[in-house]
């Protein structure tokens, strides 16, 4: 990351300049004059300036982590799924409303070795960091394939945020009927010279990690984890390492090589039993 | 300038142990952190004799106006701290307070003794209050045990010793008096309140560590009462903390007798907030002084 | 139906002492309160031997997701309670639990003895935990004192005795065990956490009583930890409370072992909320039962 | 109050149907199909359904007490002054937003004896309960005089909420330059056969209480006090009584006969020294 300017110290106010939806997902745009350009896989801690703390159970209190979906002259783009009080408040923002923003944070994706293609595998709102990664990879002319999984047809509209994606849905309403890992398997069966970049629900990441490990295909997994700070201060966001001990998802990740993670690690960090 | 245990500090705002990692912050934010370092002294997270990996995740639970953490004091242990962290922390533009914990007075005396040799360390804070680790609770919650503990630890250093009291006790002022009698140069409080949460829709605890500690605005009124009680009981300086988010909150702690104020959880919401709090406080004080 | 100390209750939701005045509510809301009485048993506010006017105002301070109260246990005293309140409270459609407090075991034994004669009283709750009054704190915070207290009070009645523990202690489970050893039929917790606030922009306390007790969602995670610890320690039934606002919160307390759940501060935001909580809880339980 | 139906048990949702301003004051209207008509001097506990808890210091948490300004076919009207996080949130409500409402609560004003006129004396946002009282008194053909005090000209626009009011301002920008009590004195000098109905800041009420006591003129003072519940549950809202002990402002008041209150009582309940 030494080629990138560090994040400004302290949270800053941005103004929402655009709000659109892709199926159930909300995409917010916020011009960011003071921040350096983010790398794909990096994230920001976001909070609404107004109305933060008045949702279900008197939450949210802490800021929330979001991958950057796109970044460019129009500003930073984030893709949000309403799953609780924090995302609900952010999804309710309108053009002109203000955001607290800290970032860009964390370690992003690194490109595949020359000759290998990038195989992007996303599930649900986990497609977000892959969109910016696709932008960057295509700019450097790296061959890219994209497989995405969604719950159903409405959610599958999120696939429009990437180009040329193969889609699977749990209910078969769009694309392949079944898991995205089936599409991934088919891609790897066809050509194993790839690095897999994955982001999505814990169970999907675990499945990707496992099968790529078995095939000897390197993976870069963009993890989620409950975060309080996003910049290494709280030690709350850890994921277990195969070598023992824990790593902070926010500063050591959120992108980790699959080999570094033990089986079940991705489930444990989310309070699900491994 | 504020005098605190022989240290001259630029303003009264420091960090709560375990709520700001100055080395990680420098990696994330670059040299800006050094230039605009928000605290007038830096308190390291708790160091133990042996390395600890900390608790299994999940480690965080958000509550109304607060959070429960069950971090479990991960640290690389004394030796790595002395070898790697201290030289790096010495490059901070402010004095360094090293926070330590151990399971007995003897163990802590050894830790403190090892720090005594190191010029980088301006003062030592004794964590006798961490609710995640049995020992911390017990020593700090009982005045008699705390005095016995201090009798072992005090001779191990001539550096200022700050005792970080546990709030999970019946009479925190009596514990503070015991710390003072045992030779503490200052006391700090409050640490987190013992707390827990269930995994949503289950009958299992959410936190990997089972229980944790509550911090943030939710505990501010409890912190103020405990700091006030302690300030009434002791003559040594007091570091007040618990839910501080603004200059007003810091001013309240100072009004009841605190010399310094530490910011903890609010750092997570904004890494630079302490600088803002110090400014607001200075403005308050100016206005009050007129 | 839930069995609790020999009482058969329609659902597990009762009120926290001092957070609902059934007689005032009937004056304000009319007979609707009786018809839709939200609690399965009614806990009266604390009664003392002599009348008390309570603390000087201000008595309330709002905090992030909670409040500090310094009410000071105003009540008309035992005699007026026996003569005026009991007959009126007997008209409620649910069993009555009378909460009492006194400055010594002897005094409380007399209070309890006087209630023993009265058929309107289904059970007695002993407030050994009120942070506004010195005695309450001290008795409840120390297992040895609590056991001695119970030895005096227990013989005074054959009615069920519920000991309301103080949360302002190092090890609430040990206090609960002492209550059980002393013959308590149940324990209830948590009472409010000792807390205070400064009058804005001053160095004086806001509350007329100086300090008060923190309640509401802010303390929910502390309450859950204390209730869980107590449930692990005792065999008698436990009444859990602290920041309950919904069926989910009640279900969490029940999941860690509480038999009943009391709603306190949330009554202030909506007098009928307890009925909603009981419904949500019943729905949760049905779903979990499938 | 036996002639009035009691308040519905439990808070209920109302929808803001109109929002207007009178100088710095906000007037909200909310149709209330389920509540009985309020009496002048009664109040409601209000909270915003959305966004309650996200203001300064993560407040408000508890509902807030507001006198009813007017009540009629259009609904309940409340007059609000933004003095903190609760009033700030309520002042920010727009038409269509929802309110939690409990009430009507408390004991209202009672009419003067036959032959005596009603002298209404209000300060600042304390004019609110007097407006409905004026409506009721004029309906019963009771002679009414109105004296109102405000900080300055913008606030004095609140006088438009009553009819035929004499106005005093602290800065003299409108009406009499000085305290409203000077206007009150002049009215009483002219004709002492009156009952004074007063509502306003503690210091004003104290001054009204004191001088009317000295003149032997009966007063009915509508008090404010920090309230948690508004229905007698918390014992938090008390005011000291001349006879000793305390009364709950919410159920025993908010209207009290001035004779019942000791000197300085009104200041103490607000954390000001007597
Ligand atoms: C690096 C990173 C990148 C991310 N990128 C995106 C993105 O691009 N788009 C996106 O939509 N999301 C993204 N997320 C996920 C997003 O941060 C979470 O969805 C969000 O934090 C949820 O907050 P909430 O308040 O809406 O829901 P919460 O209520 O916080 O619920 C979310 C989950 O947290 C747990 N939980 C429930 N209650 C609590 C509590 N009180 N305390 C702690 N945990 C609780 C449960 O497991 C629940 O399912 C990312 C996360 C990370 C770490
Ligand atoms: C019966 C009655 C009728 C009323 N009628 C009206 C009316 O018609 N219109 C109107 O505008 N107002 C009315 N009020 C006053 C109104 O209820 C208050 O202005 C409101 O509650 C303030 O809330 P807030 O959050 O905006 O301000 P707060 O922050 O609550 O500040 C208000 C005052 O409370 C104190 N305070 C500050 N912080 C705290 C805290 N954390 N906890 C407790 N107290 C604190 C201070 O004295 C401060 O000046 C009435 C009050 C009562 C009791
Ligand atoms: C995530 C987290 C980690 C903490 N780690 C430590 C620690 O290592 N040692 C310690 O003495 N206190 C630790 N604390 C306690 C804080 O220093 C502070 O006492 C407490 O959080 C109250 O302050 P606050 O409300 O401002 O956070 C920690 C608190 C949090 C929230
Ligand atoms: C205003 C107020 C008055 C209270 N009065 C009493 C009391 O008289 N006796 C008592 O045992 N507890 C009293 N309590 C404590 C409550 O019963 C309860 O234990 C506590 O508030 C925690 O529950 P909550 O968070 O749901 O309010 C009072 C609490 C409040 C907020
Ligand atoms: S989120 Fe705080 S250390 Fe990672
Ligand atoms: S506001 Fe609760 S008793 Fe009056």
């Amino acid at each position: 990351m030494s080629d990138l300017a560090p994040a400004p110290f302290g949270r800053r106010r941005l103004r929402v300049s655009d709000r659109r939806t892709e199926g159930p997902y909300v995409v917010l745009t916020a011009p960011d004059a003071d921040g350096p350009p983010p790398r794909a896989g990096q994230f920001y801690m976001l909070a609404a300036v107004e109305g933060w703390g008045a949702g279900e159970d008197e939450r949210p209190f802490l800021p929330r982590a979001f991958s950057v979906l796109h970044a460019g002259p129009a500003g930073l783009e984030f893709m949000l799924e309403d799953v609780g009080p924090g995302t609900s408040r952010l999804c309710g923002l309108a053009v002109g409303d203000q955001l607290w923003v800290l970032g860009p944070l964390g370690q992003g994706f690194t490109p595949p070795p020359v000759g290998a293609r990038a195989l992007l595998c996303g599930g649900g709102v986990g497609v977000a960091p892959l969109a910016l990664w696709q932008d960057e990879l295509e700019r450097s002319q790296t061959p890219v394939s994209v497989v995405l999984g969604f719950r159903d047809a409405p959610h599958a509209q999120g696939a429009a945020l990437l180009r040329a994606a193969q889609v699977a849905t749990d209910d078969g309403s769009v694309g392949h009927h079944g898991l995205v890992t089936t599409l991934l398997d088919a891609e790897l069966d066809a050509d194993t010279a790839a690095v897999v970049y994955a982001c999505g629900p814990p169970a999907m990441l675990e499945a990707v990690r496992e099968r790529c490990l078995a095939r000897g295909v390197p993976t870069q997994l963009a993890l989620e984890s409950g975060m309080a700070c996003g910049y290494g201060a709280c030690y709350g966001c850890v994921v277990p390492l195969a070598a023992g001990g824990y790593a902070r998802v926010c500063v050591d990740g959120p992108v980790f090589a699959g080999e570094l993670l033990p089986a079940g690690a991705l489930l444990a960090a989310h309070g699900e039993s491994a | 300038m504020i005098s605190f245990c022989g240290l001259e500090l630029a303003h009264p705002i420091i960090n709560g142990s375990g709520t700001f990692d100055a080395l990680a912050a420098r990696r994330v934010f670059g040299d800006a952190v050094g230039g605009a370092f928000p605290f007038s002294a830096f308190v390291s997270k708790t160091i133990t004799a042996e390395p600890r990996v900390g608790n299994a995740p999940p480690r965080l639970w958000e509550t109304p106006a607060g959070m429960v953490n069950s971090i479990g004091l991960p640290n690389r242990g004394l030796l790595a701290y002395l070898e790697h962290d201290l030289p790096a922390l010495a490059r901070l533009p402010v004095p360094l307070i090293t926070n330590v914990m151990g399971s007995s007075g003897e163990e802590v005396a050894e830790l403190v003794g090892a720090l005594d040799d190191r010029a980088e360390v301006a003062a030592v804070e004794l964590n006798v209050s961490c609710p995640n680790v049995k020992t911390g609770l017990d020593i700090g919650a009982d005045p008699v045990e705390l005095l016995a503990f201090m009798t072992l630890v005090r001779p191990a250093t001539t550096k200022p010793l700050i005792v970080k009291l546990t709030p999970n006790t019946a009479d925190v002022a009596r514990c503070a008096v015991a710390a003072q009698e045992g030779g503490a140069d200052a006391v700090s409080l409050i640490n987190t309140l013992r707390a827990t949460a269930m995994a949503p829709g289950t009958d299992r605890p959410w936190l990997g560590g089972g229980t944790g500690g509550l911090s943030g605005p939710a505990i501010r009124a409890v912190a103020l009462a405990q700091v006030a009680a302690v300030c009434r009981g002791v003559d040594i300086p007091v570091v007040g903390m618990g839910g501080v988010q603004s200059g007003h909150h810091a001013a309240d702690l100072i009004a009841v007798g605190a010399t310094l104020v530490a910011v903890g959880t609010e750092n997570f919401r904004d890494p630079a907030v302490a600088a803002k709090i110090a400014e607001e406080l200075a403005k308050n004080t100016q206005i009050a002084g007129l």
Side-chain angles (χ1 to χ4, degrees), chain A, chain B:
Chain A
M1 311 299 300
S2 50
D3 54 330
L4 284 183
F9 183 52
R11 67 181 184 182
R12 57 194 185 278
R13 277 170 202 263
L14 301 187
R15 201 170 280 279
V16 174
S17 62
D18 188 58
R19 178 190 187 280
R20 64 184 206 272
T21 55
E22 297 283 355
Y25 302 109
V26 171
V27 177
L28 295 180
T29 308
D32 179 24
D34 299 327
R39 174 169 282 190
Q42 284 195 297
F43 69 98
Y44 292 75
M45 297 300 282
L46 303 188
V49 170
E50 302 279 333
W52 200 245
E56 189 201 326
D57 276 348
E58 326 289 328
R59 298 192 301 134
F61 168 64
L62 298 163
R64 298 294 194 259
F66 295 91
S67 304
V68 58
L69 170 73
H70 284 298
L76 303 172
E77 274 187 17
F78 301 101
M79 173 186 183
L80 317 180
E81 180 175 17
D82 180 353
V83 300
T87 48
S88 167
R89 176 68 192 105
L90 292 167
C91 286
L93 288 176
V95 169
D97 286 346
Q98 290 183 46
L99 278 174
W100 287 121
V101 166
L102 183 75
L105 300 168
Q107 313 299 324
F109 297 116
T110 50
V114 177
R117 79 191 154 123
L119 186 39
L120 279 45
C121 176
V125 78
V127 307
L130 303 178
L132 181 59
W133 193 219
Q134 186 180 36
D135 293 350
E136 292 186 16
L137 289 167
E138 291 183 359
R139 213 175 297 132
S140 66
Q141 321 244 309
T142 310
V144 179
S145 309
V146 181
V147 295
L148 303 178
F150 294 95
R151 206 169 313 159
D152 51 27
H155 287 83
Q157 293 180 57
L161 294 164
L162 285 90
R163 287 173 294 277
Q166 298 173 61
V167 171
T169 50
D170 295 350
D171 66 359
S173 52
V174 174
H176 170 71
H177 185 170
L179 298 175
V180 67
T181 40
T182 313
L183 300 179
L184 182 71
D185 282 335
E187 282 287 325
L188 290 174
D189 287 344
D191 176 5
T192 196
V195 174
V196 173
Y197 299 89
C199 185
M204 185 207 100
L205 288 182
E206 180 65 17
V208 170
R209 190 196 62 79
E210 207 179 7
R211 74 192 56 215
C212 290
L213 198 71
R215 285 175 185 266
V217 173
T219 50
Q220 295 188 20
L221 310 179
L223 306 192
E224 291 191 7
S225 176
M227 291 185 174
C229 70
Y231 65 96
C234 75
Y235 283 76
C237 60
V238 296
V239 63
L241 295 177
Y246 299 99
R248 283 171 286 182
V249 171
C250 65
V251 286
D252 301 323
V255 176
F256 289 90
E259 310 87 84
L260 296 180
L261 305 175
L266 304 164
L267 302 173
H270 290 77
E272 299 166 28
S273 32
Chain B
M1 281 293 179
I2 307 261
S3 283
F4 173 77
C5 297
L7 310 180
E8 297 296 317
L9 307 179
H11 59 74
I13 306 298
I14 67 173
N15 67 300
S17 172
T19 67
F20 195 87
D21 181 333
L23 303 180
R26 198 151 54 189
R27 284 199 301 275
V28 174
F29 304 113
D31 291 333
V33 179
F37 199 71
F39 310 106
S40 65
F42 178 69
V43 184
S44 72
K45 66 186 277 78
T46 297
I47 306 302
T48 52
E50 299 301 318
R52 294 171 57 98
V53 297
N55 290 336
R59 289 179 173 184
L60 302 174
W61 177 257
E62 188 182 59
T63 66
M67 59 181 279
V68 180
N69 85 79
S70 170
I71 307 297
L73 304 178
N75 76 97
R76 298 197 287 166
L78 177 68
L79 293 183
Y81 182 78
L82 293 175
E83 197 178 344
H84 301 294
D85 296 347
L86 263 191
L89 291 170
R91 288 166 47 211
L92 292 175
V94 299
L96 175 66
I97 299 172
T98 298
N99 179 299
V100 299
M101 202 201 71
S103 51
S104 68
E106 289 81 357
E107 188 183 330
V108 174
E110 272 193 45
L111 276 161
V112 168
L115 293 167
D116 191 52
D117 296 338
R118 296 297 290 263
E120 300 97 323
V121 177
V124 177
E125 185 174 59
L126 305 176
N127 179 357
V128 297
S129 59
C130 183
N132 297 346
V133 178
K134 271 204 187 127
T135 344
L137 248 184
D138 293 346
I139 299 170
D142 178 22
V144 178
E145 266 199 65
L146 183 54
L147 181 56
F149 172 86
M150 287 301 291
T151 309
L152 292 168
V153 176
R154 176 67 273 187
T157 187
T158 57
K159 291 192 197 284
L161 275 183
I162 307 161
V163 174
K164 184 158 183 187
L165 300 164
T166 173
N168 300 303
T169 186
D171 190 344
V172 71
R174 274 181 59 215
C175 298
V177 168
Q180 175 176 281
E181 277 177 27
D185 297 290
V187 292
S188 58
L189 71 161
I190 66 172
N191 211 315
T192 56
L193 298 177
R194 222 172 308 149
T196 196
M198 303 302 280
T202 75
D203 54 4
R204 291 178 292 105
W206 169 257
L207 298 165
T211 59
L214 180 65
S215 65
I219 68 168
R220 191 190 308 131
V222 173
L224 190 60
Q226 293 209 354
V227 171
V230 164
C231 290
R232 281 193 295 268
V234 300
D235 306 313
I236 52 179
V238 172
V239 183
M241 71 190 98
V244 170
Q245 301 182 287
S246 74
H248 286 295
H249 305 153
D252 284 350
L253 287 166
I254 290 171
V256 301
T259 301
L260 300 183
V261 169
V263 176
T265 300
E266 194 66 10
N267 295 318
F268 302 155
R269 307 206 320 160
D270 180 1
V273 76
K276 227 176 300 175
I277 293 172
E279 260 172 54
E280 287 170 10
L281 182 63
K283 223 177 287 171
N284 272 353
T285 314
Q286 271 175 1
I287 292 168
L290 289 182

